[in-house]
Amino acid sequence: MVEKSFKSLIELDKKFSPASIWDPLSARMADRLGIEMLMLAGSVASEAHLGMTDDILLTATELSDLVTRITARSSRPLIVDADHGYGVARNTARTADLLARAGAAAITIEDTVLPRPDLATGKSALVPAEEGLRRVEAAVTVGRRTGLAIIGRTSAMQISGAGETVDRLLSYAEAGCDMLMPVGSCPVELLAELGRRSGLPLMLSTLPPRITSEAELVSLGVRIVLAGHHPCEAAYRAGFEAYASQAGRQEAWSKDEMKRLLSG
């Protein structure tokens, strides 16, 4: 059992930065050090489980297996990046059910076209608003039955702008989400509007400009700000350098090296 439920934590007037973890032992480390919430990102899960880039090659069952092993060793609430639900609404419902059974406390469901249509440039596109809503509704139905918290996520801010960001997220709020996540840098005014009109807490991937204090964030309804995946990157760097020393080679870790390893 988790020490405090995810839903009870996000009701507090407090900002959380979940620990980015990738396996049971990293979760144990964060747990041991008192970090109150954990995050398993799609990119990190793909790297750890497949040794490959996040091109949506990881399956829902592989992800749920990893989550099962993590939650067996940590009592902290775990947020899982469930990407696009691994298909249409019916797939999303099955994914949500698998992750709830695996012990996830919350999942994010996004409305981006995945895999990305243009892997060479990394450009993203949005699914039609109706399809994004159907996926969220399917996840919410599972969440109501299992207690799994559903975080409606959109990348509209990076693709089509503030207006569509608000429209999509408010529709997800009406569908019964527990939290909303606009991806990318959002102006304070947009966050204030989302918080006021939805009545839901917000999760951010990027701090908004001109924010000077945690109290200001909390007043906007922000309860979670992601801190990036630096622990995972640091662990891989340390491992590479240890292996290089063992091999008697003078090779330093770099982002290019990471790309070579993941693409080979």
Side-chain angles (χ1 to χ4, degrees):
M1 294 294 290
V2 296
E3 294 176 2
K4 288 184 180 178
S5 75
F6 176 80
K7 291 181 181 180
S8 68
L9 287 173
I10 62 174
E11 287 175 354
L12 301 175
D13 289 334
K14 180 178 178 180
K15 183 210 69 164
F16 296 92
S17 291
S20 177
I21 55 93
W22 60 95
D23 66 3
L25 189 55
S26 60
R28 291 280 285 175
M29 288 186 234
D31 197 337
R32 161 75 173 77
L33 294 168
I35 299 178
E36 295 174 280
M37 203 178 282
L38 310 177
M39 174 79 197
L40 178 61
S43 58
V44 168
S46 185
E47 291 166 5
H49 202 76
L50 300 178
M52 300 176 73
T53 54
D54 185 20
D55 295 333
I56 315 300
L57 297 175
L58 190 74
T59 66
T61 48
E62 288 172 326
L63 179 62
S64 67
D65 175 67
L66 180 56
V67 170
T68 297
R69 290 186 283 111
I70 290 169
T71 58
R73 296 293 289 154
S74 174
S75 60
R76 304 292 181 178
L78 174 65
I79 308 166
V80 179
D81 176 2
D83 287 315
H84 60 332
Y86 296 88
V88 295
R90 289 183 65 192
N91 302 90
T92 302
R94 181 168 184 264
T95 297
D97 188 67
L98 284 169
L99 294 175
R101 292 173 185 272
I107 63 171
T108 63
I109 296 293
E110 65 181 275
D111 53 13
T112 314
V113 175
L114 295 174
R116 291 181 181 87
D118 189 348
L119 291 176
T121 64
K123 288 184 178 179
S124 298
L126 298 172
V127 300
E130 296 79 8
E131 175 60 25
L133 180 58
R134 281 193 292 268
R135 293 177 189 177
V136 167
E137 289 172 336
V140 166
T141 297
V142 174
R144 287 172 176 161
R145 173 170 51 81
T146 63
L148 181 70
I150 307 302
I151 303 168
R153 166 179 165 170
T154 187
S155 297
M157 193 68 198
Q158 300 171 311
I159 299 170
S160 51
E164 188 163 6
T165 298
V166 171
D167 290 345
R168 286 186 178 237
L169 289 180
L170 289 181
S171 75
Y172 301 160
E174 291 176 5
C177 278
D178 300 282
M179 193 171 213
L180 302 177
M181 182 181 180
V183 175
S185 181
C186 296
V188 167
E189 296 77 14
L190 183 145
L191 298 178
E193 180 180 0
L194 280 173
R196 183 182 71 254
R197 294 179 62 183
S198 72
L200 293 179
L202 306 177
M203 175 173 169
L204 303 182
S205 60
T206 307
L207 279 174
R210 306 195 315 273
I211 289 291
T212 59
S213 69
E214 180 175 324
E216 191 175 357
L217 273 176
V218 170
S219 71
L220 292 168
V222 176
R223 293 297 179 269
I224 296 177
V225 179
L226 299 183
H229 310 309
H230 311 302
C232 183
E233 295 165 6
Y236 292 149
R237 182 187 307 111
F240 181 85
E241 292 174 355
Y243 294 138
S245 176
Q246 180 179 341
R249 298 173 64 166
Q250 298 295 317
E251 292 194 37
W253 177 256
S254 69
K255 290 186 177 181
D256 287 340
E257 184 63 47
M258 183 67 167
K259 290 177 182 177
R260 282 193 289 270
L261 290 170
L262 292 174
S263 63

